């Protein structure tokens, strides 16, 4: 499956703006674009930066093939002058931003792209596609991880998302603290542990459940998970232990009232001597249903649809706005009053205990540094050259620490205000 | 951006089932899997089949590279026997299903995959990823097209969706009747008309709005669209006509109360002699806000976030279930009572006026044919060989006709029951 370059994953108007700017001499004006959210999805208390590493990899390959340029010329999307410019295009500017796994709030400048107008405007669509998707998934996944209270979560939603979005969703869910995934491509590309054993189809393929379980144990050993709810669950559990013995690793229940079933299944497993056999539950779990199972003897949650669709918020609401031209702050007049032009620098303030209290975002200057302040921006690309990035494991730990640092109300699943206020200070 | 084969866009458990079935001799049992929805998203009155053409193209390339097989062996996802089988894998079975652009309802068997158990089970994840995503977008887009009452719709949501999902979303929206898209990759891959002119950034780049408009008109001509809401909209319109003259093709308004603004803008344009200048509105439009603008002098709608995220239903709820093994119907016992095993054949019944009245789905047999009946399934793959498929334009027309055929209540945007009931008849 060979795709085109990422450069064509771009809105038509980016290229018509490039055309017009190349013609009237404004193309090389030094510009600063910022990515930020005007608001969080309704009731959400934090956002999670995710996808920046993926974006930087895509920008590395962001150039136009001859075939693509021919297409653009043929359809009169661009003229010859612009076509020549596109053929030579490489991003030579700078990108800085919040680390992956960093929390963000309305007004946080999570990515800053600077360079000539034309090279920066070209990245808008791709930057927003990647960050809006991955950040939406990471935020939903982080809430599920909080709700799971230390129990493991398997991401198994690939079938409910576009086939490539599913791979990115897996990466974002792992960043947010999920333990493993069903998605093999994500396993191979990002080194994420994969998991999976059998579906109901495997039981139905066989003449009876015992034969199916025996075939699975013969192939995969006792450290497998037997899916016990194809027919009668209690009978399924008895059959599972009869076939695999009491050292079966796990059973999975994918339907029914999971609270009741987990409870009864634990008692039954214990009565059969399978006291170490784990219980995995799945089936349309979201952060709320996971939280509702906290008191039940569940060992592992499988989450699918809800995590890959952002649990009601499938896109993060991030925008990419021109904030500075040749050193002059610019702003769309009719926008929300809080929008302030100029390149921003951001710090997060903390109490001596480590709890975050506020984020200070200063236009065209640097916030006064105090004890407990943490600068939030780091370089990603310098003069067109990507710098070394943290590993996915590092980003995962970064988020884990970030969630410890916010005020405790920030971790509540109920609707509320952003956990940390952002103050944007205009250029003086 | 070279991706791996689509084969790895698959859940881990599909391959462990293959392993176990190859070991115990059930691998070659003749199996039939069906894709269907148990229910539509809450309140929706129809689903739209989309993505099948994309899926068939992906199945064509569905094989495992040496590198991918090495990964699977290394991580013990599969054993040597299975690895050898994967290396030789080509789907040799049959696929039939509803045409792209066909309407579907709970219980409609929109795709039927038959062959050996192992070759069919392997396709589950990819088939669901593609169909769940594309069908979700097409259904939301079709509702917007109905709401637009013949006015043109531009799809401009790429920035709110995963970068590759955005291309598939564009295809689905075009199938559903959108006129054009901002997404250049979709333009090149699928021949969809693309559109776009300038963002607020282009105005902000310049010293003033008049200079920006003049630059755009110099580059793109008067058959362009000027974005007039960066500062004051009335002044923006006056400037647009002063710069481009009264034969400017269009203005775009992307913020504010679009009802009021469309009305005032039309009056102002007319008073300036720009009676033919079109008004394009955009900014978080969904089917409801489009419907609310029906009485206003809007010519073209731009829809983004809502269409690419399925307007509240980002996935279509389709499942892939084993329904028949060696000619014997199979069914998971604990499922919804309406689930019936066996390969299904579907017809839609119509009144002499052409209005659809019901869908009859017969297990292991064919429905009695009456006047006005239409068989809903067509071949996609025969013995591993894809057959010729209708063009995207044909699928678009198919859906347009389908929406004319359902009872009028089916086109209401308000919540309601499925527009056409499906009766599933068990094998006799």
């Amino acid at each position: 499956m060979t795709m085109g370059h990422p450069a064509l994953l771009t809105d038509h108007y980016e290229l018509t703006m490039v055309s017009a700017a190349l013609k009237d001499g404004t193309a090389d004006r030094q510009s600063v674009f910022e990515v930020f959210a005007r608001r969080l999805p309704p009731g959400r208390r934090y956002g999670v930066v995710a996808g920046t590493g993926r974006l930087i990899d895509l920008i590395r390959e962001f150039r136009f093939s001859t075939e693509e340029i021919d297409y653009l010329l043929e359809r009169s999307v661009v003229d010859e002058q612009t076509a020549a410019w596109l053929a030579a295009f490489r991003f030579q500017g700078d990108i800085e931003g919040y680390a992956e796994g960093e929390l963000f709030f309305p007004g946080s400048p999570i990515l800053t792209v600077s360079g000539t107008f034309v090279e920066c405007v070209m990245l808008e669509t791709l930057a927003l596609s990647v960050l809006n998707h991955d950040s939406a998934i990471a935020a939903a996944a982080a809430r599920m991880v909080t709700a799971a209270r230390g129990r493991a979560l398997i991401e198994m939603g690939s079938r409910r998302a576009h086939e490539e979005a599913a791979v990115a969703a897996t990466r974002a869910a792992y960043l947010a603290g999920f333990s493993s995934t069903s998605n093999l491509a994500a396993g191979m590309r990002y080194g994420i542990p994969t998991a999976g054993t059998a579906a109901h189809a495997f039981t139905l393929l066989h003449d009876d459940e015992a034969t199916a379980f025996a075939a699975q144990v013969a192939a995969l050993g006792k450290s497998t998970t037997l899916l016990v709810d194809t027919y009668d669950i209690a009978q399924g559990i008895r059959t599972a232990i009869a076939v695999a013995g009491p050292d079966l690793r796990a059973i999975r229940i994918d339907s029914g009232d999971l609270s009741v079933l987990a409870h009864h299944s634990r008692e039954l497993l214990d009565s059969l001597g399978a006291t170490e056999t784990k219980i995995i539950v799945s089936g349309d779990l979201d952060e709320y249903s996971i939280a509702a199972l906290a008191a039940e003897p569940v060992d592992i949650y499988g989450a699918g649809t809800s995590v890959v669709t952002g649990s009601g918020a499938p896109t993060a609401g991030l925008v990419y706005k021109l904030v500075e031209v040749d050193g002059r702050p610019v702003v769309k007049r009719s926008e929300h009053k809080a929008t302030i032009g100029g390149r921003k620098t951001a710090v997060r303030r903390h109490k001596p205990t480590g709890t975050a209290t506020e984020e200070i975002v200063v236009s065209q200057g640097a916030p006064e540094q105090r004890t407990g302040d943490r600068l939030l921006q780091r370089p990603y690309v310098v003069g067109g050259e990507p710098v070394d990035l943290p590993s996915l494991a590092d980003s995962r730990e970064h988020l884990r620490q970030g969630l410890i640092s916010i005020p405790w109300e920030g971790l509540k699943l109920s609707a509320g205000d952003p956990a940390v206020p952002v103050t944007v200070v205009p250029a003086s």
Side-chain angles (χ1 to χ4, degrees), chain A:
Chain A
M1 185 175 47
T2 307
M3 308 267 187
H5 288 133
L8 222 60
L9 299 167
T10 292
D11 284 336
H12 187 125
Y13 81 177
E14 317 289 5
L15 300 195
T16 44
M17 285 191 277
V18 167
S19 270
L22 288 172
K23 274 212 164 38
D24 85 337
T26 53
D28 289 336
R29 289 192 176 177
Q30 288 301 304
S31 300
V32 180
F33 284 83
E34 283 176 353
V35 174
F36 60 94
R38 292 211 177 85
R39 62 196 75 84
L40 297 176
R44 291 287 181 87
R45 295 160 186 260
Y46 59 83
V48 175
V49 176
T52 325
R54 243 174 32 82
L55 173 63
I56 300 302
D57 285 344
L58 289 165
I59 290 174
R60 233 184 256 265
E61 303 169 51
F62 195 101
R63 40 184 173 269
F64 293 84
S65 68
T66 310
E67 191 191 3
E68 287 163 346
I69 290 174
D70 287 348
Y71 163 78
L72 296 171
L73 278 169
E74 218 168 79
R75 303 296 173 112
S76 304
V77 178
V78 299
D79 56 16
E80 291 286 350
Q81 179 193 12
T82 309
W85 185 85
L86 292 177
F89 179 77
R90 301 285 184 282
F91 180 73
Q92 302 291 331
D94 299 323
I95 301 178
E96 61 169 35
Y98 286 33
E100 279 201 90
E102 189 62 80
L103 300 175
F104 71 85
F105 305 96
S108 299
I110 71 161
L111 200 78
T112 306
V113 179
S114 52
T116 65
F117 175 76
V118 282
E119 70 182 343
C120 296
V121 82
M122 293 269 290
L123 302 185
E124 176 180 26
T125 312
L126 185 65
L128 289 179
S129 287
V130 172
L131 297 175
N132 269 322
H133 175 267
D134 292 16
S135 298
I137 308 308
R143 285 161 57 88
M144 294 178 201
V145 170
T146 297
R149 301 190 186 185
R151 291 173 178 170
L153 281 153
I154 309 174
E155 184 280 307
M156 42 175 74
S158 296
R159 63 191 55 199
R160 305 290 183 211
H162 176 278
E163 67 278 10
E164 278 294 333
V167 184
T170 294
R171 181 182 182 279
Y174 184 70
L175 189 159
F178 274 55
S179 313
S180 59
T181 179
S182 64
N183 189 293
L184 292 169
M188 184 166 170
R189 287 189 212 165
Y190 301 120
I192 298 169
T194 65
T197 53
H200 297 114
F202 190 75
T203 299
L204 295 175
L205 168 71
H206 288 82
D207 300 335
D208 56 52
E209 200 173 40
T211 316
F213 287 175
Q216 189 181 324
V217 171
L220 305 173
K222 291 180 180 183
S223 73
T224 192
T225 301
L226 293 173
L227 179 61
V228 294
D229 68 341
T230 304
Y231 306 116
D232 177 80
I233 294 181
Q235 187 52 51
I237 291 174
R238 282 191 198 92
T239 304
I241 301 305
V243 167
D247 47 349
L248 173 67
R249 180 175 166 272
I251 61 161
R252 177 160 75 97
I253 306 169
D254 187 49
S255 53
D257 180 336
L258 296 175
S259 283
V260 173
L261 292 172
H263 189 73
H264 289 173
S265 298
R266 182 73 272 157
E267 285 185 343
L268 179 55
L269 284 169
D270 290 350
S271 76
L272 297 168
T275 54
E276 300 299 314
T277 300
K278 293 192 190 311
I279 296 175
I280 304 178
V281 297
S282 58
D284 286 330
L285 293 178
D286 62 13
E287 60 268 50
Y288 304 103
S289 51
I290 290 169
L293 289 165
E296 304 304 334
V298 168
D299 298 288
I300 299 171
Y301 300 100
T305 307
S306 186
V307 61
V308 300
T309 60
S311 197
T315 186
L318 296 163
V319 295
Y320 185 97
K321 292 294 171 191
L322 181 62
V323 296
E324 195 174 301
V325 178
D326 286 342
R328 167 180 59 90
V330 296
V331 63
K332 173 172 178 301
R333 196 183 300 167
S334 48
E335 258 168 21
H336 191 271
K337 279 179 289 189
T339 307
I340 288 171
R343 172 196 281 269
K344 318 289 189 310
T345 303
V347 299
R348 193 166 296 154
R349 303 231 141 117
H350 298 81
K351 289 188 201 171
T353 57
T355 303
T357 54
E358 70 175 325
E359 199 168 303
I360 307 289
V361 174
V362 175
S363 170
Q364 298 195 312
E368 179 200 343
Q369 286 269 5
R370 300 185 196 164
T371 310
D373 281 5
R374 189 162 59 80
L375 278 165
L376 294 168
Q377 289 144 309
R378 48 150 294 148
Y380 279 102
V381 175
V382 177
E385 289 302 318
V387 303
D388 281 346
L389 297 183
S391 68
L392 192 54
D394 292 340
S395 301
R396 199 166 185 252
E397 176 59 20
H398 192 88
L399 173 58
R400 204 182 66 80
Q401 295 291 342
L403 288 172
I404 293 170
S405 78
I406 57 172
W408 67 270
E409 308 87 33
L411 296 182
K412 287 168 73 173
L413 297 180
S414 56
D417 292 328
V420 174
V422 177
T423 305
V424 184
V425 184
S428 49

